[in-house]
Amino acid sequence: MTDALHSPEVRLRNECGLELASRVWRLRDPMLAISSAPLGGGLGLRRWVLNAQVPHAYDGPDPGSHLAALAAEAGARGVGVGMMTAVDVRGASTVRREGIFVDATVGVIGAAQWAAAPGPSPQHPDTAVVQVPGTINIVVALPERLSEAALVNTIGTATEAKTQALWDAGIDGTGTATDALCVLCPPSGDAHAYGGPRSLWGGRLARVVYDAVRAGCPPAEPS
């Protein structure tokens, strides 16, 4: 089942005077997906996945509609998942191991932050945290069915693995403010009940996500 995600189509377009790339996977058969993406997020059957590069200063009022238009231009049909990043997606980090496929675009230079960092204060606006553009998008495909609860669990597992990879790469932060994630599995078959890091598929997912994100991180600066 993960064969559907091995070779995405890489599409190029001109936008805002820039050459921008997208990665498009068209699934041979619909897969069950859980995602935090701005297009096709939530839980349900999906027929394609799009990871589209946008300009660093992107401020589109409706990212979902923009992604839907890009998917239509790519010939994607039905309901799919669309995510965006300022990273050149041609440099994605791809790992296939233990039956799992992971494709990650890692944009953290100057953008990583701690999830629980103080936010803007109405009384003290000068203490607002400056948000720097940057995104980590992760696409995961599993070869066996997970229950809906287990799929929810994989979101936490993948996020923990991503954060561990950032920490080991010497990056101060748990991620960026715009990270997106999509986990897919077959919609039929006996469903595994768990997706945590000590479950069969959750543990494998964690290791492969870790390796993909770690490989996509910039080299650590010499001490």
Side-chain angles (χ1 to χ4, degrees):
M1 183 63 72
T2 55
D3 289 346
L5 295 188
H6 282 178
S7 300
E9 178 188 1
V10 176
R11 296 176 58 85
L12 301 178
R13 71 187 193 280
N14 290 313
E15 188 175 305
C16 301
L18 302 171
E19 181 181 76
L20 302 174
S22 298
R23 297 170 76 78
V24 185
W25 294 268
R26 298 177 188 84
L27 309 179
R28 287 192 296 271
D29 299 297
M31 296 184 75
L32 183 60
I34 187 166
S35 178
S36 61
L39 177 66
L43 180 65
L45 291 176
R46 301 292 184 263
R47 291 185 171 274
W48 48 266
V49 179
L50 167 70
N51 189 9
Q53 181 187 10
V54 295
H56 281 279
Y58 182 82
D59 60 353
D62 190 350
S65 294
H66 188 182
L67 287 164
L70 294 177
E73 291 173 6
R77 299 290 182 263
V79 180
V81 172
M83 51 185 70
M84 55 178 52
T85 175
V87 173
D88 187 340
V89 299
R90 288 171 288 188
S93 173
T94 300
V95 179
R96 181 196 177 201
R97 197 176 65 251
E98 299 188 70
I100 294 176
F101 172 91
V102 174
D103 189 272
T105 50
V106 183
V108 293
I109 298 176
Q113 57 188 270
W114 299 105
S121 168
Q123 290 77 28
H124 303 284
D126 58 330
T127 64
V129 176
V130 177
Q131 304 292 349
V132 181
T135 300
I136 302 172
N137 285 340
I138 303 173
V139 178
V140 180
L142 303 171
E144 295 186 10
R145 169 76 185 276
L146 269 65
S147 69
E148 292 186 357
L151 277 175
V152 173
N153 207 173
T154 63
I155 294 292
T157 300
T159 301
E160 291 173 10
K162 173 193 72 177
T163 300
Q164 183 178 346
L166 296 178
W167 177 264
D168 287 350
I171 295 170
D172 289 335
T174 51
T176 83
T178 53
D179 293 353
L181 177 61
C182 177
V183 179
L184 305 118
C185 72
S188 59
D190 294 335
H192 294 268
Y194 304 104
R198 292 298 170 262
S199 67
L200 174 64
W201 288 110
R204 293 175 178 179
L205 176 151
R207 290 187 288 273
V208 183
V209 167
Y210 173 93
D211 285 347
V213 174
R214 184 69 180 83
C217 290
E221 295 183 0
S223 55

